[in-house]
Amino acid sequence: MGSYQRPQGKQWIYGQFDDSVLPAAMLLLEIARLNHAERGNPIQVVRAISAAVCFISLELRKIFA
């Protein structure tokens, strides 16, 4: 923000620290059945959360179809 001669900061809003985000992420990891050892691998975590979201989406389509 600002110019190179007069830089100005902008407040950063850390949405990942909202009260509901951590429990939601943990629920997705449980749904994906990612074991605790694999949770240290960011690639496995992203793949597991993606798979869990796709699974939930497909299940909701079945219910509301």
Side-chain angles (χ1 to χ4, degrees):
M1 303 288 303
S3 68
Y4 74 94
Q5 293 176 338
R6 294 183 133 189
Q8 296 177 352
K10 183 176 180 182
Q11 185 177 7
W12 187 290
I13 300 172
Y14 295 98
Q16 72 267 27
F17 297 119
D18 287 347
D19 291 340
S20 60
V21 174
L22 180 59
M26 297 305 291
L27 177 63
L28 289 172
L29 292 175
E30 291 298 322
I31 290 171
R33 296 186 178 156
L34 189 67
N35 67 40
H36 294 279
E38 294 173 327
R39 292 181 187 190
N41 182 335
I43 295 170
Q44 293 298 324
V45 170
V46 170
R47 288 179 178 169
I49 289 175
S50 176
V53 169
C54 287
F55 172 77
I56 292 169
S57 177
L58 291 173
E59 292 300 310
L60 288 174
R61 285 184 191 166
K62 291 178 188 176
I63 293 170
F64 294 108

